[in-house]
Amino acid sequence: MKHDFRKLYLLLIFTTFFFGGLFAQTVKIEGKIISNEEEPIYNASVSAVDLRNELVISYAITDSLGNYNLLISPTYDSVKLIVKHIGFRAVSQNARVENKQIDFSLEPSILQLEDIEIKANSLISDSNDTVTYHIDAVKSQNDRVLADILKKLPGIEIESDGRILYQGKPIQKYYIEGLDLLGGRYSLANNNMPTDAVESVQILENHQPIRMLDSLVFSDKASINIKLKDGVSVIGQAKLGAGFSPMLWDVNLTPMLFSKRRQFLATYQTNNIGENIGRQLNRFSIEELSKSQYSKSRKWLNIQPFSPPPFSDRMWLDNRSHLYSLNYLSRIKENIDVRFNANYLNEKIDKEGNAVTVFYTPSDTIRINEIKENNEDTRTLQGELKLEKNTSKKYLLNSLEFEKQWINQTQQLNNSGSFITQIQASPMTSISNDFNYLFPVDKKIINIKSFFSYLNNDQELRVEPGPFDDFLNNGDNYEFASQKLNHEVLYSMGSVNSIYNFNKLLVKPEVGYSFHKQQLSSDLIRSPESQNFQTSDLKNNLVYTYAQAYMQLGLEYKHDYWVFKLTTPLKFTRLDAADKTVERELELERVTFEPKLSISNRLSDKWSIGLSLGRSNNFGNIEQQYMGYILRGYRSLQRNSSDFQERLNHNIGASIDFKEPLKAFFASLNYYSSFTANNLVFSQIIGNQGETELISIDLDNNSSSHNLNLNLSKFISQLNSTLSFKVALSRIESQQIIGGNFADIGNDNIILNPSLYIDLASWAVTEYESTFSRLTNSVNNENQARVWQQMHKLRLIFFIGNAQFLEMSGEYFKNDFAGNRDNYLLNLGYTYPISKKRIDLKFSWTNILNAGSFTSVYNNEFSYYSNTYILRPSQVVFHINFGIN
Amino acid sequence: MKIILITFLSLLFFNSVSWSQESVNYIIYYNLSYQYDSTNDKSHNEKMALYVYNNYSYFSSYNHILGDSVQRMIEKNFDPNSGELDLTKYDIPRTNFPFRIIKSPEQIRVYHEHLAIYRYLEDPSSFCWEIQNETITINGLKCQKALVTHGGRNYTAWFTTDIPINSGPYIFTGLPGLIVKIHDDRDHYNFTLLEIKKSTKDLPIEEPQSFQEITKAEFLKMMNDYRRNPIIHIKQYANINLSPEDIRRIKEREKRKNNPIELTAN
């Protein structure tokens, strides 16, 4: 060891002499910088400055032992050495330039640099969390509507469906002049407002729309505010499109008017090219999703429906649609806004096709062939009146919504040679009120929520000739059956919550209730009236009441890489179903505890795991409680005179993820299992014509489901492509009574999904995806049938010149059920912008091969369902879009 | 798609452990004006922040620091209206300059977030600053010129001994005073001092605890691969149908980003 040191020392001396000789012109000043407490000072600078102009000639930074090493050119006779460190008072000393050692000792100082701000000019003015972009600086010749400019602003992106993202996240509010006119339907303004009308765009970062929570509850969401140029402006945009064959149209007219305290936007749109304009009424905000479940009508009666094909509406939606929308907002006082929105949508949709349904029973196979032609006419009128008071001391929101809907449907049906007409009418009225009130108590904010809704839905179904003649009319033919039904729902919910934070543990107590009362009355009228059937069996007069109160504590704990979450709701539920006609009343009271636990951990940068456990109770719904028969469709006569369904579900889920981005390899494996104990068995009694009766029997039984998913993906650099592969396996086991026998039903699905994406060149990309699936059903472990399906999709996009593009897509579907059908589809689209004139020309050719129909197959526990849908013919549409100011 | 990526990155960072509770002395803001497309004169601006501690400094985009504080806020105080912590609902500020750099006189640790967190090291002694005799005065600060070559670019720096902070923007460090301005000779990357603020509160810096250690050469190759095939990489994360507009937009955006700050590994 000692020997080694000597060697090293010799080497050191040698090198020093060697380099010293080589760079004789450089002088070295070295030394040590210590504090007055003799601690070495690290990261101090020692500068040698020119005595004449104080410019730095040479410098050194001290190491962790406080040593420095300064090399100075001997052209200088003497220099000033300045030693500085941010935590110490600077010292300086003049020194002759010669090889020597100079040590310094520094005294600590609470040195305070003055705040320095360097003013800079910018397009962007930034105050607090608001960034303002002055549009004139950004605008170019090509920009026609606001969306064109928004896209260019840093951090803003607009998705193809119109949703606006800021820093990759959806925006929260879209204000025009500080007012929220459209409440989430902002595409109407964004895509139609000419740029000339806009002064600036403000991005409100970390915007908390509820002023009271501002600075208390942190918001990480951004909102956008559009500032218009002075004065009232009438602005808008128009689009015209036409094509063949038959005669096609597509029209959009959107005028707008904005003033400081009043805003107005209207639109009229109509088309028959398969464009689903009703979708525009969807909101991008997610606020009121869960509340609406009881203010939407339930489909009691149905003509035989169609399953839409799994591709673009433009291929199959045979529509004549009209959309009117009127939006008005007025700021009646400071901080109080009143908003009114009204929409009217009329959609006439024709559907044509045929369906094959096969029921497998232990003893028999029943096959139903139906050729169907539907004419649907839906008219929807919606209105919303919203009042919002938003001050720093109080937040109050009340929103009243109204909806009226008329659905009229006619179906001509051929079931293996028998012709049936079904006519359905279902007028519906609903009204709902949403209330949210926040007020402070001892620095904690109490949040009160309440929601109320009322629904009245009449439904009528007329079936000609009269169905179920054996059952309903002693085997004699009769002219028609008319099922009348009225469903009324009164729903209310409320909750109070607050939130507490104890270091790593977060606690959120909440109490609340949920209540609904539903009334179902129905009658089945046969014409001519039959004398031989007990009429009470065909009537319902059901009152179904559900009341639930709950209290829960939410807990979340984080430690290192672990996250534990637990919610512990304790629920008291009371159910009551009574029918005066049959003098039957059922009651149920249960106290349930429904905890949920989830644990996750990131094991390393590459691996992560998760585990979840849960338990829940379910007490069925009104559809399992009606005791008189209802003719729900021409071959579905149902009643359900059972006890309350009680289901207790336990579930477990686990996941493992692996990723190695450096090699672009990703893998994930998920498993989910669910076990349900059920007190009822539902029995499907299937008649000769395929008519079914669903009844339930009190019999404890179990069902379970198991799902396994594997996803793999790998980037292959040499081929500029990504290859991915997905496998999904699922098994569902349940018990059913089929044809009078208790049977174990098994359902196995295997889906394989390889896909390939290739970046061909800077001007072209291609995408290929295929799906192979095998669906197997078994009854008492005996396989009934297998269905193989495969789907292949190929898409090619070419980018031409400045902003033109050409898209080609082809699809192939095949299944080996119901006659082994092949389906080929081919589409073409081309866009050419004339940028200077703010006009876009578009050309699209759909269904080039003129494929007539599309067949898809579905299965459930005991039946297969194959559905053939008549597509739109091969069609060509030209579009021209332009702005109006 | 963005959302997924952002969320993914957020999750990665979520588990980072606070590196130092030592209170910061100063926060220094720079404006980075950069031209990520060398064929287009259009420059972009982003605010950058340098946190100065006694013996080290931390540099990153201001949006990154905001993002970290957003995450701390989420952890402490997440949406009281839902019991779930759903990161997709949060708008974590984003940056086009996803570096986090911790600099001490011996070592520069460069963290880069791109679908995962990578780290490579730079050696501060590799900066061969050439001190020049020129000076200018920027906002009353007398600044002296220094030249350095790094990552394939020739930089001109203006530093001031009036501010005894031996650091500066990005990886630049080791001059006897604060770098007030530094730009490359084509002015594609230009950092300019905006503001110096005394710190009044603790600002813990989060150094990632979980990352992949790679060399700078590997890093450059990976970023180059991504720029060449962005859609492919994105598709690996989320198998979504991108419209031709989206594909075009992303491809063009990445194609435009042909001018990274680091052109070569040395």
Side-chain angles (χ1 to χ4, degrees), chain B residues 180-224:
Chain B
V180 173
K181 190 180 180 70
I182 183 165
H183 59 90
D184 68 320
D185 55 6
R186 285 176 294 173
D187 210 27
H188 286 167
Y189 284 84
N190 185 335
F191 296 90
T192 311
L193 178 70
L194 287 176
E195 212 181 326
I196 300 177
K197 275 191 166 176
K198 275 179 288 222
S199 124
T200 47
K201 52 188 171 184
D202 280 357
L203 291 162
I205 288 310
E206 291 182 353
E207 181 163 8
Q209 295 300 295
S210 158
F211 53 82
Q212 291 186 32
E213 186 89 53
I214 57 178
T215 65
K216 192 172 169 189
E218 284 175 324
F219 168 75
L220 294 179
K221 181 185 177 297
M222 180 179 76
M223 294 310 291
N224 194 39

Side-chain angles (χ1 to χ4, degrees), chain A residues 468-672:
Chain A
F468 296 99
D469 44 21
D470 286 346
F471 188 64
L472 293 177
N473 210 34
N474 264 352
D476 298 332
N477 292 346
Y478 64 109
E479 197 191 335
F480 67 86
S482 172
Q483 174 71 56
K484 291 181 195 301
L485 183 143
N486 175 270
H487 185 212
E488 250 185 304
V489 185
L490 189 68
Y491 170 65
S492 164
M493 59 149 281
S495 70
V496 182
N497 74 52
S498 193
I499 192 158
Y500 303 87
N501 195 348
F502 304 103
N503 201 7
K504 285 178 174 174
L505 182 70
L506 198 107
V507 181
K508 184 185 161 195
E510 177 171 330
V511 291
Y513 77 93
S514 165
F515 171 85
H516 58 90
K517 182 172 181 175
Q518 306 188 47
Q519 273 184 296
L520 178 73
S521 45
S522 75
D523 196 2
L524 178 56
I525 295 158
R526 290 143 297 150
S527 177
E529 192 75 33
S530 164
Q531 306 303 318
N532 306 320
F533 199 81
Q534 252 197 333
T535 47
S536 68
D537 272 3
L538 303 180
K539 281 191 168 123
N540 281 293
N541 209 341
L542 174 68
V543 180
Y544 180 92
T545 317
Y546 174 99
Q548 184 178 72
Y550 68 90
M551 48 192 273
Q552 72 175 37
L553 206 57
L555 299 169
E556 183 171 320
Y557 180 74
K558 282 207 186 81
H559 185 70
D560 289 346
Y561 295 98
W562 293 94
V563 180
F564 298 88
K565 285 183 212 169
L566 180 69
T567 50
T568 56
L570 187 67
K571 297 179 177 174
F572 173 76
T573 310
R574 189 175 193 287
L575 266 168
D576 183 294
D579 193 324
K580 284 176 198 140
T581 326
V582 291
E583 290 182 355
R584 182 166 181 265
E585 180 159 7
L586 287 175
E587 281 179 8
L588 180 84
E589 278 183 9
R590 290 287 182 271
V591 177
T592 54
F593 180 57
E594 304 180 14
K596 251 193 285 183
L597 174 71
S598 79
I599 301 169
S600 62
N601 189 346
R602 258 170 49 71
L603 297 172
S604 75
D605 194 48
K606 292 175 181 169
W607 291 93
S608 62
I609 55 167
L611 180 73
S612 70
L613 296 166
R615 171 190 161 106
S616 65
N617 288 78
N618 182 313
F619 301 105
N621 59 45
I622 190 169
E623 292 208 28
Q624 289 150 355
Q625 289 305 325
Y626 58 92
M627 291 149 227
Y629 283 100
I630 296 177
L631 184 67
R632 302 192 67 166
Y634 87 99
R635 56 178 171 85
S636 169
L637 185 67
Q638 288 187 8
R639 71 168 175 178
N640 202 328
S641 48
S642 69
D643 279 345
F644 284 110
Q645 186 185 23
E646 288 186 68
R647 303 176 60 166
L648 174 63
N649 175 275
H650 289 94
N651 58 67
I652 180 165
S655 66
I656 303 175
D657 286 280
F658 175 81
K659 52 183 173 281
E660 186 161 33
L662 195 58
K663 291 183 180 156
F665 177 71
F666 301 87
S668 73
L669 185 68
N670 293 289
Y671 178 74
Y672 182 81

